[in-house]
Amino acid sequence: MGFIDVIKERARADKKVIVLPETEDRRTYQAAEQILKEGIADLILIGSEEAVKKGSEGLDISGAKVVDPATDPNFGAYVDKLVELRSKKGMTKEQATEILSKQYLYYGVMMVKMGDADGMVSGACHSTADTLRPCLQILKTKPGTKLVSAFFLMVVPDCEYGENGTFVFADSGLEQNPDPEKLANIAISSAESFKLLVQAEPKVAMLSHSTKGSAKHADVDKVVEATKIAKELAPDLMLDGELQLDAAIVPSVGNSKAPGSQVAGQANVLVFPDLDAGNIGYKLVQRLAKAEAYGPVTQGIAKPVNDLSRGCSWEDIVGVVAITAVQCQA
């Protein structure tokens, strides 16, 4: 059984309610049909009955609940709550009404906030910033978490590295140029996410163009400092750095370049020094190795809301919904 099949099975075992707000996109309906068919989650689609009927023509989404803000009896309660949450920022009832009437992403996040849904998946036709803005404004960060970051779950076919070819790549979707403290927190959050989703021991590599002092540069110093901070914050975590990619995942290279390291040669959580490296890295592996890439999956938000790449397929949406459902179970 493949990784995503295991995730789907776990999602089915304790079904959650997931909101899909992007009802202007055909891929949402294609994914919804498959999610309902497989019993992965209960779904809420936001939009008018007419628009949803037109957008889903030829597809069976009869098992989904359609919520139209214009007729939803909860609308008033959502407006009042949004005003309460954003009053210090000057939010008025008129502004909240305007936002929730027209911006379905905000409406979906309010459903999660108010407990009418467990999680949300968006981003097929919205930027990461558009998806995460309402989350940070309404849901806030998870207690004990200093920042929100994002990762891709990579499943590489016929791969002997990582956890049978499964990796977490972080941050590959959100944090542009994290300082050492942020990089350390990304590493710790990513290890927790790996353990939850893959159900295996995380082995975290702090990646660089240098291994154990082989190069001198301020960029290397950042990773060295981040490694030190992460080890202080999570002393029991298997984590090491700075490591080049080959030293991190290839046993023979790890033994040669970083002898004695618990992580070198067997890493399954790869923490990139910045967003450029992380984004380029996951797309290289996705396209050249024909890997399955699920994400960007967010971590650190109080309740699970996940972003999608705008280049995603409907199959990708199905996978991210399954992952989101498992996050909701936790």
Side-chain angles (χ1 to χ4, degrees):
M1 188 181 290
F3 167 77
I4 202 63
D5 297 314
V6 173
I7 290 288
K8 288 177 179 179
E9 193 171 81
R10 289 169 65 190
R12 280 191 289 268
D14 181 13
K15 205 181 287 189
K16 298 300 179 183
V17 179
I18 306 298
V19 182
L20 299 177
E22 294 180 309
T23 50
E24 68 270 45
D25 195 296
R26 179 71 173 179
R27 290 169 294 177
T28 296
Y29 299 110
Q30 293 170 308
E33 180 181 54
Q34 190 63 29
I35 291 160
L36 295 167
K37 182 179 177 182
E38 294 189 44
I40 295 166
D42 292 326
L43 295 180
I44 296 174
L45 301 173
I46 303 177
S48 69
E49 292 278 357
E50 183 182 353
V52 170
K53 185 177 179 181
K54 183 178 179 181
S56 63
E57 191 174 352
L59 300 169
D60 180 9
I61 59 158
S62 55
K65 180 180 180 181
V66 178
V67 173
D68 183 354
T71 58
D72 185 10
N74 292 323
F75 185 85
Y78 291 175
V79 168
D80 292 342
K81 187 65 174 179
L82 184 56
V83 172
E84 177 192 325
L85 291 168
R86 303 291 293 164
S87 60
K88 290 181 180 178
K89 298 293 183 181
M91 178 73 71
T92 65
K93 190 165 186 174
E94 291 73 21
Q95 288 172 329
T97 300
E98 175 82 3
I99 289 168
L100 293 177
S101 296
K102 296 182 177 179
Q103 298 188 42
Y104 289 174
L105 271 64
Y106 270 88
Y107 208 84
V109 172
M110 283 305 305
M111 297 189 88
V112 175
K113 177 68 176 180
M114 300 293 274
D116 296 318
D118 299 303
M120 186 178 92
V121 173
S122 178
C125 51
H126 288 87
S127 69
T128 295
D130 287 339
T131 296
L132 294 184
R133 190 179 299 110
C135 302
L136 297 175
Q137 291 177 356
I138 295 166
L139 299 175
K140 314 292 186 184
T141 54
K142 188 167 68 174
T145 302
K146 291 194 174 182
L147 82 161
V148 175
S149 56
F151 64 89
F152 273 81
L153 244 164
M154 306 297 296
V155 183
V156 187
D158 304 317
C159 177
E160 70 269 36
Y161 305 127
E163 188 66 31
N164 298 315
T166 301
F167 297 86
V168 157
F169 282 23
D171 183 319
S172 303
L174 186 58
E175 194 64 40
Q176 182 69 50
N177 190 15
D179 61 25
E181 186 176 4
K182 286 184 176 181
L183 200 57
N185 279 282
I186 289 167
I188 293 167
S189 291
S190 300
E192 292 171 356
S193 294
F194 183 89
K195 195 167 188 176
L196 169 67
L197 295 171
V198 185
Q199 297 184 305
E201 184 73 25
K203 299 170 186 175
V204 185
M206 308 296 283
L207 297 181
S208 173
H209 69 274
S210 167
T211 297
K212 300 295 183 180
S214 64
K216 304 294 182 186
H217 192 275
D219 290 347
V220 178
D221 296 340
K222 179 178 87 166
V223 177
V224 171
E225 180 64 18
T227 303
K228 179 184 174 184
I229 294 169
K231 286 182 175 180
E232 289 171 353
L233 293 173
D236 296 329
L237 180 60
M238 287 184 66
L239 177 147
D240 202 7
E242 84 286 15
L243 296 170
Q244 290 163 289
L245 188 279
D246 55 354
I249 67 170
V250 181
S252 60
V253 179
N255 289 334
S256 171
K257 291 187 173 184
S261 170
Q262 282 187 302
V263 171
Q266 49 185 328
N268 48 31
V269 177
L270 305 181
V271 179
F272 293 82
D274 58 37
L275 185 57
D276 284 341
N279 192 271
I280 293 166
Y282 102 75
K283 287 185 175 179
L284 273 171
V285 174
Q286 179 187 26
R287 300 301 178 181
L288 299 187
K290 295 179 169 45
E292 298 167 40
Y294 299 102
V297 181
T298 55
Q299 51 193 7
I301 298 175
K303 292 187 178 182
V305 174
N306 282 319
D307 190 20
L308 296 160
S309 167
R310 278 175 283 178
C312 70
S313 65
W314 67 262
E315 292 94 341
D316 295 332
I317 299 174
V318 174
V320 174
V321 167
I323 289 168
T324 306
V326 171
Q327 287 181 309
C328 292
Q329 294 171 357

